Amino acid sequence: MITELGAFALVLSLMLSVAQTGLSAVGGARRSPVLAGAGRGAAVAAFVAVAVAFAALIHAFVVSDFSVANVAGNSHTAKPMLYKVAGAWGSHEGSMLLWCLVLTGYGAAMAAFGESLPPRLRAYALAVQGALGVLFLAYAVFASNPLARLLEVPVEGRSLNPLLQDPALAAHPPFLYSGYVGFSVVYSLSLAALIEGRVDAAWARWVRPWTLAAWSLLTVGITLGAFWAYYELGWGGWWFWDPVENASFMPWLIGAALLHSAIVTEKRGALPGWTAFLALAAFTFSMLGAFLVRSGVLTSVHAFAVDPTRGVLLLIMMGLAAGAGFLLFAIRAPSLNPGGQFRAVSRESAIVLNNILLSTATAVVLLGTLYPLIREAMDGEAVSVGAPFFNLTFTPLMVLAFAILPTGPLLAWKRGDARGVARKLWVVLAVAALLGLIAYGIVQPRKALASGGLALGFWLLGGALLEMADRLKLFRAPAAESVRRARGLPRGAWGATLAHAGLGVFVLGASFETAWRVEAAQALSLNDSQTLGAYVLTLTDIGTVEGPNYLAERGVVRIVDKAGRLICRAEPERRFYPTGAQTTSEVAICPRLLDDLYVVLGERRAGEGGKPAWLVRAYVNPWVRLIFLGPLLMAIGGAISLSDRRVRLGVGRRAREVVS
């Protein structure tokens, strides 16, 4: 009964989205507050209906209702409760329902909390958001129904991929989709502004908080995915340039460009057309990610294996949404006001250069992701594009972007003082270069490029701190004055500084971990040892343990330093899941402040003298924790900025003393 209620609610949500589109569009065209209000009501009701359908799907997973095809294919009675719930979005059908839930949720939020938007723009934006809801809900109802019943009910389900049964990955899709689909609001606002012909500073103020929220949530989602790959897949890394990883990275890059471009449009009225273009592109890349993951054109642990027919439908949907947006942009672009003028040396110019580099980097990632697919479709030849390509093309672009980033916030709007900025930054540059040289001299083996990466990370971190010190006039004014300025500084400024500092922290971690990781692999019998850098690892025991839905072979690895002091006792596992007959590795990680000792237990094999042996792979991952701390700081910075009422609502603060 609950499943049927959910199925009915899903169809009802489709009808309500149709009503939302029609009522909001007509209400906006006729300037009718009654029709526009009815459209807002339909938006809220559509979200409630999708929430009921989603709750029904979760209920089916919790009670192991195998008459539902989605549950039978992705759950099992022996699966822990957390993963039963997460199984609701661990499949193609369930993940699309989650997508629809987030999409209608954003529409309901715009309807309920968008009072600061002009009524007509709000109505048109809700009409566009409703039209997107119609597209995706129709797909869910007619081509990918998550609540479809089976005629023959199996006794047991097939369970969820064991690799996906992980707490971080349980939280990963909700955050990722909240970021992906958050750009739908930016898309809707952009299309509504183009319909009205008013892409201006006021519009940018309304776009900015939605962009900030989507970008921050997407940052958390990508970081959770990277962290899961790091400790769950057992290969010791955190980023592989997997096409599905790239699918989430591209909207993040475009979102970062949009966030900065919207600031220029808001503050100076400049670049309105470019900002609108990026707003359309951000959600287009999000839809491209949905297509790549679900079309069956990619083979990845992250991808959903589905039939090509549904992939074609997704491609058509992406073409309709993106095509409509860019067609209207092409029509309206010649009439858009170019906005304020600015000099070559100015904050606007720094942001423009930032946008050019980020957009070019996105194009490089897009080329590297799609080229193998295009090549295979054209001549049937399978080619791969991996880390070497991206290291040679993407990395130099980002190095240049990071090199100029600290200068932007210190430049004045419209006309900047290059010499003044150089006088402020030279100490940061000297300290960063010195620290890079010290790393080159004392860290073995010596690696010039990695040491340069460390210098770049210190440059970003120092630049962010200097910018905040400049705002507060630290050491240039009495302490009481600096405290007063700190209290009066808007939270948006604190958030931006924290986000830029987080980027520097990430660059430090990525540079150090990638260059100076130590790896060792050896087949060990009981009480055999191997050396890993400054550590000695000894396999002291092997035993069998039983989990809730798996059997595991657990090793005990004693790790000591060269002086014989015990560092930790690692317990890696090899798990066998009877349902699905899959074997996975469970990594053991020993944290060491910023570093990790990372141990993986491999398959059993014959050792010396016929004794059983197990392949033990181990890594020292130096500064790896900074890789995950940096993006977390960036997301927190976004949240702090969003808590600023001026950013969140696009309105001024209450009268208070201005901090220049």
Side-chain angles (χ1 to χ4, degrees):
M1 181 63 184
I2 294 179
T3 299
E4 279 67 33
L5 175 63
F8 171 78
L10 186 59
V11 176
L12 178 61
S13 67
L14 174 59
M15 297 299 102
L16 288 168
S17 291
V18 172
Q20 172 189 341
T21 304
L23 290 169
S24 298
V26 176
R30 295 185 177 180
R31 302 179 188 273
S32 169
V34 175
L35 291 175
R40 294 196 295 273
V44 175
F47 168 65
V48 172
V50 177
V52 169
F54 194 71
L57 180 62
I58 289 180
H59 175 267
F61 271 91
V62 168
V63 301
S64 297
D65 183 358
F66 299 128
S67 68
V68 178
N70 195 14
V71 179
N74 298 281
S75 191
H76 191 274
T77 53
K79 193 163 64 170
M81 183 56 68
L82 172 63
Y83 306 130
K84 285 186 177 182
V85 174
W89 54 79
S91 65
H92 167 77
E93 292 82 2
S95 68
M96 286 308 302
L97 184 59
L98 176 62
W99 180 289
C100 293
L101 178 70
V102 178
L103 182 68
T104 55
Y106 275 112
M110 191 174 6
F113 307 111
E115 295 88 351
S116 61
L117 292 169
R120 199 175 183 203
L121 181 71
R122 186 184 185 186
Y124 282 143
L126 281 172
V128 176
Q129 193 77 8
L132 293 174
V134 170
L135 278 177
F136 285 97
L137 284 166
Y139 178 81
V141 170
F142 298 112
S144 186
N145 194 330
L147 294 165
R149 293 282 197 180
L150 288 173
L151 294 178
E152 296 182 7
V153 181
V155 176
E156 272 293 358
R158 294 168 53 192
S159 192
L160 184 69
N161 185 339
L163 289 174
L164 306 183
Q165 297 182 36
D166 179 82
L169 208 66
H172 165 67
F175 276 103
L176 193 69
Y177 286 15
S178 296
Y180 264 161
V181 186
F183 288 122
S184 68
V185 180
V186 179
Y187 171 92
S188 297
L189 287 170
S190 181
L191 215 57
L194 290 170
I195 292 171
E196 274 204 288
R198 52 166 300 175
V199 181
D200 53 18
W203 167 81
R205 277 196 297 276
W206 301 314
V207 164
R208 188 178 165 202
W210 294 104
T211 305
L212 188 58
W215 181 85
S216 299
L217 289 165
L218 186 57
T219 302
V220 175
I222 293 173
T223 305
L224 284 172
F227 187 56
W228 165 79
Y230 171 67
Y231 74 80
E232 182 64 27
L233 297 186
W235 57 288
W238 46 273
W239 191 263
F240 192 64
W241 293 108
D242 182 286
V244 178
E245 293 173 340
N246 296 346
S248 62
F249 190 40
M250 288 185 285
W252 187 89
L253 289 169
I254 289 294
L258 171 61
L259 195 56
H260 291 84
S261 179
I263 294 174
V264 176
T265 306
E266 176 188 350
K267 301 291 187 185
R268 297 278 300 122
L271 310 178
W274 175 245
T275 303
F277 179 86
L278 288 177
L280 298 175
F283 187 58
T284 298
F285 276 108
S286 295
M287 290 188 291
L288 176 64
F291 164 73
L292 290 175
V293 172
R294 293 167 178 82
S295 62
V297 300
L298 297 178
T299 301
S300 168
V301 69
H302 311 274
F304 298 103
V306 299
D307 59 275
T309 302
R310 290 193 289 186
V312 171
L313 290 175
L314 284 169
L315 186 61
I316 292 172
M317 290 161 56
M318 183 180 71
L320 288 173
F326 287 115
L327 176 61
L328 182 58
F329 176 81
I331 295 171
R332 291 290 198 187
S335 63
L336 294 180
N337 185 355
Q341 302 295 314
F342 51 87
R343 294 293 183 91
V345 178
S346 63
R347 188 177 299 188
E348 294 95 325
S349 292
I351 292 177
V352 167
L353 184 55
N354 159 283
N355 270 227
I356 291 172
L357 292 170
L358 286 175
S359 301
T360 306
T362 306
V364 166
V365 177
L366 179 65
L367 175 63
T369 304
L370 296 185
Y371 177 75
L373 306 179
I374 297 171
R375 182 69 178 273
E376 187 172 4
M378 291 179 61
D379 57 19
E381 182 179 355
V383 297
S384 62
V385 175
F389 168 80
F390 293 104
N391 291 339
L392 287 173
T393 55
F394 177 85
T395 302
L397 291 169
M398 297 313 296
V399 167
L400 183 56
F402 295 160
I404 65 171
L405 191 150
T407 65
L410 296 174
L411 288 167
W413 293 106
K414 193 174 181 179
R415 178 185 297 177
D417 180 7
R419 291 183 179 179
V421 171
R423 283 195 297 269
K424 292 176 180 178
L425 282 173
W426 77 266
V427 174
V428 174
L429 180 61
V431 171
L434 178 62
L435 291 174
L437 288 172
I438 290 174
Y440 180 76
I442 67 176
V443 181
Q444 299 295 329
R446 291 192 175 121
K447 296 189 177 182
L449 290 179
S451 299
L454 293 179
L456 186 62
F458 287 122
W459 164 251
L460 287 168
L461 186 58
L465 296 177
L466 177 70
E467 189 246 333
M468 181 54 64
D470 187 65
R471 285 176 175 270
L472 303 181
K473 292 190 175 180
L474 284 179
F475 312 117
R476 295 188 292 115
E481 171 66 11
S482 295
V483 171
R484 184 193 69 80
R485 295 176 73 87
R487 289 176 177 173
L489 200 65
R491 285 194 291 270
W494 289 104
T497 298
L498 188 59
H500 290 166
L503 184 61
V505 170
F506 167 79
V507 171
L508 286 174
S511 299
F512 206 94
E513 190 272 343
T514 302
W516 284 290
R517 177 195 302 170
V518 180
E519 178 181 356
Q522 186 175 332
L524 301 179
S525 298
L526 287 178
N527 298 315
D528 283 351
S529 300
Q530 67 171 327
T531 300
L532 176 70
Y535 304 98
V536 177
L537 284 65
T538 303
L539 181 64
T540 61
D541 192 20
I542 287 283
T544 302
V545 296
E546 185 174 350
N549 61 335
Y550 62 84
L551 295 173
E553 193 173 39
R554 177 183 294 171
V556 177
V557 179
R558 189 171 183 269
I559 303 177
V560 299
D561 61 16
K562 290 298 179 67
R565 292 187 295 265
L566 179 66
I567 301 300
C568 77
R569 188 170 175 270
E571 298 184 355
E573 297 179 1
R574 278 181 62 79
R575 293 180 176 178
F576 174 73
Y577 292 80
T579 303
Q582 289 181 271
T583 301
T584 65
S585 294
E586 193 69 15
V587 173
I589 296 178
C590 297
R592 297 281 294 165
L593 192 57
L594 298 181
D595 307 346
D596 275 348
L597 299 178
Y598 184 105
V599 184
V600 185
L601 182 68
E603 66 277 4
R604 183 186 301 207
R605 57 181 62 183
E608 293 183 6
K611 296 188 298 182
W614 292 262
L615 179 64
V616 176
R617 287 186 294 113
Y619 306 83
V620 177
N621 294 328
W623 289 21
V624 70
R625 301 203 168 266
L626 298 183
I627 293 172
F628 307 111
L629 176 62
L632 179 61
L633 293 176
M634 294 164 70
I636 293 173
I640 291 173
S641 295
L642 199 59
S643 71
D644 190 331
R645 188 170 183 269
R646 299 186 309 165
V647 174
R648 188 175 67 255
L649 301 178
V651 296
R653 300 166 68 188
R654 294 177 182 177
R656 63 172 60 178
E657 191 171 358
V658 177
V659 178
S660 59

